[in-house]
Amino acid sequence: MKNIILEEINRFRFLSNYDNSKTSVENGVNLNEGIPGEALLKALESDRGFLSSFKGELDSMKELGVQTRDLKTLKTSEAIIDAIKAGKLEPAELGRVNWAVLKNTKDAKLAETLTKDITSNKTFMKGAAGKSQSEFIEALRKKGIPEGKSKLMWKSYQSNLKELEDLKDLKDVKDAKDVKDVKDVENDIVKDAESEAKADKDLRDADEIKAKENLDRAKKLNQEEENILNQISNAETEARIRENKEYLQKLKDEKPNVVLDWFRRNRLIKWVKRVVPWKTLLILGAIGGAGYLAWYYWFKDKGFTVECPEGESINPANGKCERGESGGSEQIIDPNDPDIINETDPSKFIECDGIYKLGCKSGDISKVQDCLGIETTGLFGKRTEDALYKRINKRTFSKDDIKTICTFQAPNITRI
């Protein structure tokens, strides 16, 4: 239904192009647009005899060079016919082919079809406008068209004029009615569009309401789920607390003795009789003897040394770890003393040997400072500690660490 309405609108707009102040021939430029070569194309597709005659005429004109829209030259009749069917020829090029065939053909049907196409061309009708029959035939004779074919073309031309006049009359008669019909159709289309817009708006509103309801429902369900999970979590927590209380109470009531229970389970002690089996005594004796032999072999016979914390050493007098040189000095280092941190008071630094850390002074510290690329004061302050940490990731060093510290030295460091 819509297609029919649109066709009616287009037909009215087509007829509206007709200008009453001009002749029908002048209006033909606007009204007689048609498809170029329409009559020829229909005959080629529906009449085998016509197709054969047209092909024979093209074969007889070997000198006729035809070009397509993309400037490709066609040399055979089959190629020309295929190009005409496919619409690949420009209107001017198709007209040239039609004129050439019309001049040479003796086939009446072929001449009639070509005449219809040529005379319906808007350029031809514009050129023939206002000419009498004799002037019309004389103009065609100059183009090489025989008189008989010229009269045939005049007849076809007059038929086209008659069709244009009829079209004008049809337009005049239906003009007012078509205008009203078009307005009515346009009004209907506007109403349909408004109805569709209202329907779309109602649908969008309904979707928004439904979406809001779904969102509220989802929020409610999420809240309910969260409440249920909280209740489950609280219940589980209460159950664990209750189980722990019961277990602690059970342990308290039983008052277990783990060691004695282990001996009892392994039948090392007869608990009821309060006696120890001789096998248990043998096992305990074996364990004690093995421990004594280990001590005697590893410690008493070969000796051992106690490792003291950093900054402390063994005092030979009492065998204990003490701060100061060999444990004999009572001087204590305060690592938070600003004079030690900033290396401003050498009297607060003590001589160290073995482990060097914050507050020590030594010639080995000067060597390490040289390797670290800092001032060689021989005093182990905060600056030395930070540089050492960057080098070996330690804040103290021993004599064994000196070689490692000085292996990867800075450019201004002297190797040891």
Side-chain angles (χ1 to χ4, degrees):
M1 181 64 182
K2 287 185 177 181
N3 292 333
I4 297 175
I5 293 173
L6 292 176
E7 288 179 1
E8 288 295 323
I9 293 174
N10 292 331
R11 185 172 66 83
F12 173 74
R13 290 174 178 171
F14 178 75
L15 292 173
S16 297
N17 291 328
Y18 196 95
D19 190 351
N20 292 325
S21 63
K22 297 181 181 180
T23 65
S24 59
V25 176
E26 292 172 334
N27 277 287
V29 176
N30 293 325
L31 299 177
N32 193 24
E33 292 294 341
I35 300 175
E38 182 177 5
L40 173 62
L41 183 59
K42 289 181 179 179
L44 290 174
E45 292 178 346
S46 60
D47 192 338
R48 287 182 172 273
F50 183 88
L51 175 63
S52 178
S53 299
F54 187 73
K55 181 178 180 300
E57 294 293 340
L58 293 176
D59 288 336
S60 65
M61 296 183 293
K62 298 296 183 182
E63 73 281 358
L64 182 64
V66 180
Q67 285 188 336
T68 61
R69 295 178 185 270
D70 55 1
L71 303 181
K72 181 179 178 181
T73 302
L74 306 177
K75 298 181 179 180
T76 64
S77 58
E78 290 85 355
I80 295 174
I81 293 173
D82 290 341
I84 293 173
K85 290 181 178 181
K88 294 183 178 180
L89 298 184
E90 295 286 352
E93 190 72 0
L94 179 60
R96 191 172 69 86
V97 173
N98 289 344
W99 278 102
V101 175
L102 180 62
K103 289 179 183 179
N104 298 326
T105 186
K106 295 181 180 179
D107 188 324
K109 188 175 182 179
L110 183 58
E112 182 180 357
T113 301
L114 295 176
T115 296
K116 185 176 180 181
D117 266 346
I118 292 173
T119 56
S120 64
N121 183 272
K122 62 181 182 180
T123 304
F124 178 88
M125 294 193 68
K126 185 176 180 179
K131 288 185 173 63
S132 62
Q133 181 177 0
S134 58
E135 293 173 340
F136 182 91
I137 294 175
E138 178 63 21
L140 292 178
R141 187 187 64 78
K142 293 180 179 179
K143 291 186 176 183
I145 304 299
E147 184 176 354
K149 293 178 180 178
S150 297
K151 291 181 179 180
L152 180 64
M153 293 183 72
W154 172 259
K155 182 179 179 180
S156 177
Y157 170 66
Q158 292 298 318
S159 177
N160 289 338
L161 291 180
K162 180 68 169 57
E163 289 180 3
L164 291 176
E165 292 295 339
D166 294 341
L167 186 60
K168 174 181 178 299
D169 295 339
L170 178 63
K171 184 259 182 186
D172 292 338
V173 170
K174 289 192 173 183
D175 190 21
K177 182 177 182 303
D178 287 341
V179 170
K180 182 178 182 303
D181 291 343
V182 169
K183 288 183 178 180
D184 293 340
V185 170
E186 290 178 347
N187 291 333
D188 292 340
I189 293 175
V190 171
K191 289 180 180 179
D192 291 341
E194 291 176 351
S195 300
E196 292 180 0
K198 185 177 183 302
D200 290 340
K201 183 178 182 303
D202 294 340
L203 183 60
R204 287 196 301 269
D205 294 341
D207 290 340
E208 290 178 358
I209 294 173
K210 187 175 181 181
K212 186 176 183 303
E213 292 176 352
N214 292 336
L215 181 60
D216 294 340
R217 184 180 178 187
K219 289 181 178 179
K220 184 177 180 181
L221 292 175
N222 289 336
Q223 185 63 39
E224 293 177 356
E225 181 181 4
E226 185 177 354
N227 294 336
I228 293 173
L229 292 176
N230 290 334
Q231 294 175 3
I232 294 174
S233 177
N234 294 334
E236 292 176 348
T237 302
E238 292 177 358
R240 285 196 299 270
I241 293 174
R242 186 169 58 254
E243 291 176 358
N244 291 335
K245 286 183 178 180
E246 292 175 354
Y247 178 73
L248 291 175
Q249 185 62 38
K250 183 179 180 181
L251 292 178
K252 182 178 179 180
D253 295 340
E254 291 181 354
K255 297 180 180 179
N257 191 320
V258 179
V259 177
L260 293 179
D261 285 346
W262 183 84
F263 276 98
R264 185 172 61 252
R265 285 195 304 271
N266 291 277
R267 296 182 180 181
L268 299 178
I269 297 177
K270 294 181 179 179
W271 186 254
V272 177
K273 297 181 179 181
R274 299 292 196 276
V275 295
V276 180
W278 63 270
K279 291 183 179 180
T280 302
L281 296 176
L282 289 177
I283 293 173
L284 294 175
I287 295 173
Y292 174 77
L293 290 176
W295 172 81
Y296 184 85
Y297 180 78
W298 293 105
F299 299 100
K300 180 176 177 53
D301 186 46
K302 294 188 177 182
F304 66 95
T305 57
V306 177
E307 184 177 356
C308 295
E310 293 182 359
E312 298 182 1
S313 60
I314 297 294
N315 188 344
N318 53 22
K320 296 181 180 180
C321 294
E322 297 180 356
R323 291 183 177 276
E325 185 177 358
S326 300
S329 175
E330 297 299 331
Q331 187 175 2
I332 298 176
I333 302 173
D334 182 7
N336 297 319
D337 192 331
D339 292 328
I340 293 178
I341 293 176
N342 300 321
E343 303 178 10
T344 56
D345 188 358
S347 64
K348 292 186 179 182
F349 289 78
I350 65 172
E351 292 287 344
C352 297
D353 185 18
I355 301 298
Y356 304 98
K357 63 179 184 177
L358 192 67
C360 291
K361 60 182 177 179
S362 171
D364 290 338
I365 294 176
S366 297
K367 293 180 181 180
V368 169
Q369 288 175 333
D370 186 37
C371 293
L372 294 174
I374 62 177
E375 183 182 358
T376 56
T377 61
L379 305 177
F380 198 122
K382 184 64 176 174
R383 180 179 54 181
T384 304
E385 184 183 52
D386 292 341
L388 180 67
Y389 184 77
K390 291 181 180 179
R391 179 64 60 87
I392 63 172
N393 200 28
K394 291 172 61 179
R395 299 192 179 276
T396 63
F397 70 93
S398 63
K399 289 183 178 294
D400 295 335
D401 293 327
I402 296 176
K403 184 176 181 180
T404 302
I405 296 170
C406 295
T407 299
F408 302 98
Q409 58 187 358
N412 62 337
I413 297 176
T414 305
R415 289 184 180 273
I416 294 177

